Structure formats: structure tokens, C-alpha cells
Amino acid sequence: MNIRGEKADHLISVIVKHRRALFIICAAISLMISLFNDALYLIGGPTAMRQESPFVMCDRTTPLNYAIHPKMTQRVSYSGDTFEPRWPTQKKLLLLRKDDYLFGHIGNQMNSLLHAYDYARDHQLELGTTFHGWVIEAIQFMGYESNDNKELRNEIRNELGITIIRNSTDLVGYDEVIQLSAKDLYFYKSPGENWEANMNFHIGILRRIFLRYNRALGYAHHGLRAINVCRTFDDLFHGSRAGIKYSVIHSRFMEGRAQFKLNQLAKTSGLTPRGALEMSPKYVRMILKPLGMLSHPIILFSDGELPSVEEGLLRDPVIGPKLIVMSNKTSLTGPDTALAILSDVYIGNPASVTSGYIARSRYALGYDEEQTYMFRKEHQDKW
């Protein structure tokens, strides 16, 4: 007598008879497990729920550790802290339309965008923009290439908290629509008590954009292929970008405006203006030597308006042989900016808004203050 066979047949008959009920039970268990995992994530559960890994951009490992929740992509954790682009809102919209002209360089535009978040958060407004305008231009300077405009709209809404307004129908339901230009927002100052929360929010937005950095695999909003932001790496280092150590110097004269701005900054920060303005060999050596970076490539981005900067560094017997000059750069491209952001050491000019954007981006990616130099004071002939 085959007892095992009879038991197996009986079990099969029971499963067939009650298959619908078993299916419902299994589905319910699966849903409960999924909800439990999400709940663990929301309340900061075990690290297994959000395994973080180093962020790698252009084959270079940054100090930033991150994880994106697979089912809630608007939520990202950075070294244990969770970021989500949400804030309390009323039925009012801050609409960032296309301006008559592009305001400033990427540093200006990103400041305007981040200040737009400040304004929206301070006034409990939703944030919106038109598709072909300066906001999308600023975002896609570094990231968010796409092959599907509908998908891009959803990603920008979910991951950056910005609604793309296509036509007047999308404005139905708002009690009020407020419009401000990039220039208006650039000069907006949030109340002082909000500065820390706003700064952390800015860092979260910058990180989201970098996580989606462009590799020329998709298109930008204007229909052209997005620019690979790693391109300058390939042009200079020919495939060895992962392990190469290098420094970047950003020299700006700005038709003389840099001198005035540095003098103004010196009143509040204590910096010595001529250091960042002249970028003398002595100034550069005193920064790079203690870091062991004088034996590695040094890249100079210069607007070419102060020839003594390039000439002095090229003539220096230590710096000259390692110097790569990229002159006449009154503005930096996305690939140039990525090269500066991912450098081992960055020496910038705080008079330049783009330098400030690079320094802030480096902070967002975890580079410490010993790797980013903007405000330096001369003391007893030392920097």
C-alpha cells in the first residue's frame, strides 16, 4: 500500500479545491511583508532595509554614501539621513516661467532655483515650471537626461518636487499663481531662522541631480542629445579617470568685478583678496604641498582676463610641468564643472558664483574642507 502517494494525492486535491482562498492568503501575506518593509524604512529600521553604497560619478568614487528606496524613489537616505522633496503647501503655485533671457551662468541659475525652493517653502506654495525654461535648463546642465518626456515630468515631480506645467489646464485648481523671474529669486533672502533647514534641503536637491548625472544616453528638453558630463575627463586623462589624482584651480577676473566683490567679502569673512584673485605660485604651492598634490596634474580654468595668472603658474618650476591650462573660460560647461566638482583638491575664487556652486556641490558629495579652498587669509607671509 502506497501511503505517501495517497497523502500526496489528498494534499493536491485540497490545494485544487481551495486554490482561490490560498491565493488570497498568499497575496495578503506578500502585501503585509511589503508594507512592513516600507514601514521599517520610514521609521529608520534596520540598515538591511536601505543598504547604502558609495556614490560613483564618472568612475570616481565620492565620499557620499546613499541608498534609494526601490518602491519610494522620492525618498533617499544619505549616511542614515532621509531626504524627501516635500513641504506643507496650500492651493497656490509658484510658477517659474521661461524668462526673456538666460540669467547669468550655471551658478546664478542654480542659486535662483534653490532660492525658489526657499520661497515656496517659506510661503507654503507648490513649485512649478514650464518645460522649456531656465529651470529645466539648469537641472539638465548636470543631470536628468531622458528618452521619454512624460517619464521625465514624473521624475522631476517625484524626485525634485517640481510640477511641469504644460498648458493652462494644468493651472486649474490653484487659488493663486505667483510668477517670479530667475533674477527676482536670485536676490530672495529667506528669514534667518530658516537658513539651516534650507541649506540641508539645498544639499538634498543637489545630490538628487548628481545621482542622475548625464552620460549622453538620453536627450535634454530641447530635443538634442544630452552632453556626457564625463567628457572632459576623457579628453584629459584618456580612460584613466577612476584612479587619477588631480587638483583644479578656478581663476576669475570678471572684467574687474572680482576685485570689488572680493573686497566686499573680505569685510565679513576676513579673507585676503589677492590670494584668490592672483592665484600666485606661492599661494597655490602653500595649499597643495601639505596635501602631497604638487606631483599630480593641476588643471587651471581661467577666463583669460588676467594673463599674469597663467604666466606665473606656467613659469613656476614645480607647478609649471604639471599644469594643464584651459583658458578663455568665462563660463564652464557641464563636463568642465564635473571635473572641478570631482577633483581631489579645488581652489576657487569666491567672487565667482560658479565657484560657489562647485564648492557647495563638493560639500553635497561629502568632500571635506581640507579639499576645497575658497576663503584664505594671509598671515605672516603664509596662507
Side-chain angles (χ1 to χ4, degrees):
M1 185 174 182
N2 190 350
I3 298 177
R4 289 186 179 179
E6 291 179 358
K7 287 184 177 180
D9 290 341
H10 177 69
L11 179 61
I12 291 171
S13 66
V14 170
I15 291 173
V16 170
K17 184 177 180 180
H18 300 285
R19 62 183 182 275
R20 179 176 176 80
L22 288 171
F23 175 79
I24 293 173
I25 292 171
C26 290
I29 292 172
S30 177
L31 178 60
M32 290 174 63
I33 292 172
S34 176
L35 292 173
F36 177 71
N37 288 342
D38 283 349
L40 283 176
Y41 181 83
L42 288 171
I43 64 175
T47 55
M49 290 295 98
R50 49 179 184 185
Q51 294 179 354
E52 295 183 348
S53 58
F55 172 51
V56 178
M57 179 174 175
C58 299
D59 294 336
R60 295 180 66 81
T61 302
T62 73
L64 177 68
N65 291 320
Y66 80 103
I68 300 177
H69 192 272
K71 295 185 179 180
M72 301 155 62
T73 57
Q74 71 271 26
R75 287 182 171 267
V76 188
S77 70
Y78 303 106
S79 301
D81 295 326
T82 301
F83 171 76
E84 185 179 10
R86 298 287 182 269
W87 58 91
T89 61
Q90 305 173 35
K91 290 184 178 181
K92 298 180 180 180
L93 178 72
L94 173 58
L95 179 59
L96 310 177
R97 287 186 178 273
K98 182 177 182 180
D99 291 343
D100 294 333
Y101 63 94
L102 198 60
F103 176 65
H105 299 153
I106 184 59
N108 304 87
Q109 294 151 27
M110 285 305 302
N111 272 358
S112 294
L113 175 58
L114 296 175
H115 290 174
Y117 282 106
D118 295 346
Y119 191 96
R121 283 155 53 87
D122 292 342
H123 297 84
Q124 295 189 338
L125 308 174
E126 292 188 31
L127 190 56
T129 185
T130 54
F131 194 64
H132 298 292
W134 66 270
V135 173
I136 305 301
E137 188 79 24
I139 291 170
Q140 291 191 322
F141 179 84
M142 191 63 64
Y144 279 90
E145 61 185 351
S146 179
N147 290 302
D148 185 319
N149 285 344
K150 183 178 180 180
E151 183 178 330
L152 177 64
R153 287 196 298 269
N154 291 334
E155 290 171 342
I156 288 179
R157 170 60 182 167
N158 293 331
E159 298 173 13
L160 299 178
I162 301 175
T163 300
I164 294 180
I165 304 298
R166 296 164 295 179
N167 50 52
S168 57
T169 304
D170 290 340
L171 298 176
V172 174
Y174 291 108
D175 295 335
E176 184 180 359
V177 177
I178 300 168
Q179 299 185 47
L180 294 174
S181 69
K183 186 175 182 180
D184 293 333
L185 290 163
Y186 181 82
F187 293 105
Y188 174 71
K189 290 186 178 180
S190 191
E193 64 270 16
N194 295 345
W195 76 269
E196 186 172 2
N198 286 340
M199 181 188 71
N200 291 333
F201 196 88
H202 295 173
I203 295 303
I205 292 297
L206 290 174
R207 285 171 172 170
R208 288 303 316 223
I209 294 173
F210 288 122
L211 292 183
R212 288 288 307 275
Y213 73 93
N214 295 335
R215 302 166 175 82
L217 301 176
Y219 294 85
H221 69 98
H222 44 54
L224 300 178
R225 175 74 66 176
I227 296 174
N228 179 5
V229 298
C230 307
R231 188 175 65 190
T232 304
F233 278 101
D234 295 330
D235 292 343
L236 294 179
F237 302 131
H238 308 292
S240 60
R241 58 193 186 190
I244 192 78
K245 296 184 71 174
Y246 69 95
S247 303
V248 166
I249 302 170
H250 190 198
S251 172
R252 294 285 276 124
F253 189 62
M254 301 160 55
E255 299 177 339
R257 297 191 308 278
Q259 178 74 69
F260 173 78
K261 293 183 72 173
L262 287 170
N263 288 338
Q264 295 299 111
L265 288 169
K267 296 176 182 178
T268 55
S269 68
L271 68 85
T272 303
R274 69 184 185 90
L277 185 68
E278 298 175 2
M279 293 291 182
S280 68
K282 181 178 179 181
Y283 177 78
V284 173
R285 283 200 307 271
M286 284 193 169
I287 292 174
L288 296 184
K289 185 176 180 179
L291 301 173
M293 293 298 294
L294 286 175
S295 59
H296 301 283
I298 302 170
I299 298 156
L300 171 65
F301 287 117
S302 168
D303 58 16
E305 296 177 12
L306 204 61
S308 59
V309 173
E310 297 176 22
E311 293 169 0
L313 294 174
L314 282 169
R315 287 200 195 104
D316 187 81
V318 177
I319 296 173
K322 298 295 181 181
L323 192 66
I324 301 171
V325 178
M326 304 186 74
S327 193
N328 299 318
K329 292 280 186 176
T330 54
S331 63
L332 300 185
T333 64
D336 294 339
T337 306
L339 185 77
I341 290 171
L342 297 173
S343 61
D344 293 274
V345 180
Y346 176 72
I347 305 174
N349 183 338
S352 164
V353 182
T354 299
S355 265
Y357 164 62
I358 291 169
R360 186 184 300 183
S361 298
R362 287 172 60 79
Y363 177 78
L365 295 182
Y367 292 96
D368 63 40
E369 59 183 16
E370 296 300 319
Q371 295 173 280
T372 304
Y373 295 85
M374 295 280 283
F375 299 87
R376 301 285 289 178
K377 183 177 181 180
E378 188 177 22
H379 179 66
Q380 295 181 350
D381 204 32
K382 292 183 180 180
W383 295 95

